[in-house]
Amino acid sequence: MSQITNRRAFLQVVGAVTLGGIAPAPLLAQQSKLRVGLMLPYTGTYAALGTAITNGFKLAVDERKGRLGGREIEYFTVDDESEPAKAPENTHRLVQRDKVDVLVGTVHSGVLLGMVKIARESGTLLICPNAGAGDATGPMCAPNIFRTSFSNWQTTYPLGKVLADRGLKTAVFITWNYAAGKEMLAGFQEGFAKAGGKLVKELLLPFPQVEFQPLLTEAASIKPAAVVAFFAGGGAAKFLTDYAAAGLKGKIPLFGSGFLTDGVLDAAGAAAQDVETTLHYGDGLSTPRNNAFRAAYRKSYKNLEPDVYAVQGYDAGLLLAAGMDAVKGDVSRKKELIAAMERARIDSPRGAWTLSKAHNPIQDFYLRKVVGKENRVMGVAHKALADPAIGCSMK
Ligand code: PHB
């Protein structure tokens, strides 16, 4: 530009460039690639979850010809190892070094809270495609923090009534001793007590340990009407197998949040049959939207079957697309970007959902049952459930 000495010459150059299909300077800046930081587990017990979320997100982008709001995407990827202690540093790297425009992550509630802290400090847009930590859309809620998955409480609150309505009035809850397990336990306990049930024992082990035998022996000795569990990924497959091996299958009915049986049916085989869970998705959901999504996912990923994690990643892409379209790719129009995301109605494979004021999905929770290789949807356990978002005030 320094060689362009008068206004007329400048306009001629701009005109020529625009006619040639290249935008003038302000638009050029907008159309640099959108920098997306994927911070997810790619190793450890949640590795498959991180991969499914990545696949889902990229499918949503690919369906938009690789562009959101007119901008191509550049991905920056970090394996967070589901390690909360490393979360602030890993997030910092994406924000400071890679200068991402948006953070997408993560699976583990403890890691999410580290990301939330940095997102609040830096103002970076954060979209959580799994981890359900209540605080992220509770006391730590913020205009730039969104979730496309669930709060931990949401996934088990509806389950209590399901059990009580069947006359199963006592239960033992088995889970990992960290935010996700503890909050799912609390959600179940609340719903169960309201419906007349009583949680008689909490059995916890450190994440990501899988030595379930002593806990199963203790659960059996209590003789509850039901056992309820939260485990996920590799840990869930092992728990289902151990439950059957301990002779409990068929003796004490097993329930859980749907993570217990999502993405693990190949690994768990017969041990998973008949297990019933509540979740905001079911791979057996037979709607045109879900069927189309599942076909597209299989086509893109060598016949791999999508699970709830893939859906949540996909929906993170849809939510970001809604925001980016509204500002035509100009992320500096942050208020408008956020406002568009807040009012988006996401046409999800799980069924359409909208966001609560705290930026967490308001959505149906299904009752599912494992039949063969499918989480078959048996009905809706709770319609349009919103997290209570205690402690959230948007500033
Ligand atoms: C969590 O840590 O919030 C979490 C992890 C895995 C799941 C669900 C929740 O499947």
Side-chain angles (χ1 to χ4, degrees):
M1 277 307 169
S2 60
Q3 285 161 328
I4 301 171
T5 50
N6 61 46
R7 185 178 142 79
R8 187 160 184 203
F10 170 77
L11 289 176
Q12 275 171 354
V13 169
V14 168
V17 169
T18 308
L19 284 175
I22 302 169
L27 278 180
L28 269 179
Q30 280 176 31
Q31 289 181 352
S32 61
K33 288 186 179 168
L34 182 77
R35 300 163 84 86
V36 174
L38 297 174
M39 183 164 147
L40 291 160
Y42 295 108
T43 53
T45 200
Y46 287 162
L49 288 61
T51 301
I53 289 167
T54 306
N55 289 347
F57 187 89
K58 289 186 172 174
L59 178 60
V61 171
D62 291 348
E63 286 179 349
R64 283 155 186 77
K65 301 194 170 52
R67 287 171 182 270
L68 299 181
R71 290 173 68 179
E72 280 179 63
I73 309 296
E74 183 168 6
Y75 292 105
F76 297 82
T77 304
V78 169
D79 175 9
D80 68 34
E81 304 166 51
S82 295
E83 177 52 82
K86 295 184 184 168
E89 189 190 325
N90 280 333
T91 316
H92 227 264
R93 209 164 73 215
L94 287 168
V95 171
Q96 298 295 330
R97 188 191 67 186
D98 300 329
K99 308 229 171 323
V100 298
D101 297 298
V102 52
L103 288 161
V104 177
T106 186
V107 167
H108 184 287
S109 275
V111 178
L112 175 66
L113 294 178
M115 295 184 80
V116 162
K117 184 171 176 290
I118 305 293
R120 285 172 64 100
E121 285 165 13
S122 63
T124 313
L125 184 64
L126 166 63
I127 303 178
C128 172
N130 185 71
D135 280 4
T137 53
M140 310 262 286
C141 76
N144 59 317
I145 295 169
F146 288 82
R147 181 151 55 198
T148 62
S149 49
F150 54 86
S151 73
N152 292 320
W153 175 92
Q154 273 181 312
T155 65
T156 44
Y157 175 76
L159 186 58
K161 185 167 174 351
V162 170
L163 268 65
D165 284 354
R166 284 193 203 170
L168 303 171
K169 294 290 176 72
T170 57
V172 167
F173 202 105
I174 310 182
T175 191
W176 280 312
N177 189 9
Y178 81 104
K182 289 191 284 190
E183 291 174 5
M184 287 187 209
L185 187 156
F188 171 74
Q189 188 170 24
E190 186 184 331
F192 198 37
K194 232 183 211 172
K198 186 167 168 44
L199 181 64
V200 291
K201 187 80 185 172
E202 305 172 6
L203 296 172
L204 307 179
L205 79 166
F207 174 85
Q209 287 182 18
V210 291
E211 285 77 40
F212 300 123
Q213 211 53 58
L215 303 186
L216 291 171
T217 304
E218 194 175 345
S221 75
I222 295 167
K223 297 191 173 55
V227 168
V228 185
F230 160 66
F231 293 104
K238 169 94 169 29
F239 182 80
L240 291 166
T241 310
D242 286 5
Y243 195 83
L248 295 180
K249 189 167 177 53
K251 261 201 198 138
I252 308 176
L254 176 61
F255 296 85
S257 49
F259 312 110
L260 188 62
T261 57
D262 239 77
V264 301
L265 295 183
D266 280 333
Q273 293 309 299
D274 300 329
V275 174
E276 290 178 82
T277 59
T278 43
L279 203 65
H280 49 294
Y281 181 65
D283 38 27
L285 201 57
S286 189
T287 58
R289 181 71 183 95
N290 189 40
N291 293 339
F293 164 76
R294 298 191 69 84
Y297 191 94
R298 278 194 296 264
K299 189 156 171 242
S300 290
Y301 302 110
K302 298 188 186 138
N303 280 332
L304 196 64
E305 291 289 345
D307 54 20
V308 67
Y309 309 105
V311 171
Q312 294 167 169
Y314 183 75
D315 287 4
L318 298 190
L319 180 62
L320 183 58
M324 291 295 288
D325 286 349
V327 297
K328 300 200 169 46
D330 183 356
V331 288
S332 70
R333 291 161 61 188
K334 199 151 186 187
K335 275 210 164 131
E336 289 166 78
L337 174 73
I338 286 173
M341 288 171 69
E342 284 175 334
R343 65 173 179 262
R345 181 177 183 275
I346 302 299
D347 182 21
S348 168
R350 75 183 85 165
W353 56 266
T354 53
L355 285 166
S356 69
K357 285 209 169 64
H359 294 179
N360 190 68
I362 301 171
Q363 55 193 335
D364 294 349
F365 279 78
Y366 303 104
L367 175 64
R368 308 126 35 100
K369 180 177 184 169
V370 178
V371 181
K373 287 288 167 64
E374 179 177 287
N375 281 293
R376 188 167 289 175
V377 172
M378 312 301 286
V380 175
H382 202 303
K383 260 213 95 55
L385 183 61
D387 181 84
I390 295 159
C392 167
S393 80
M394 281 287 175
K395 292 231 179 67

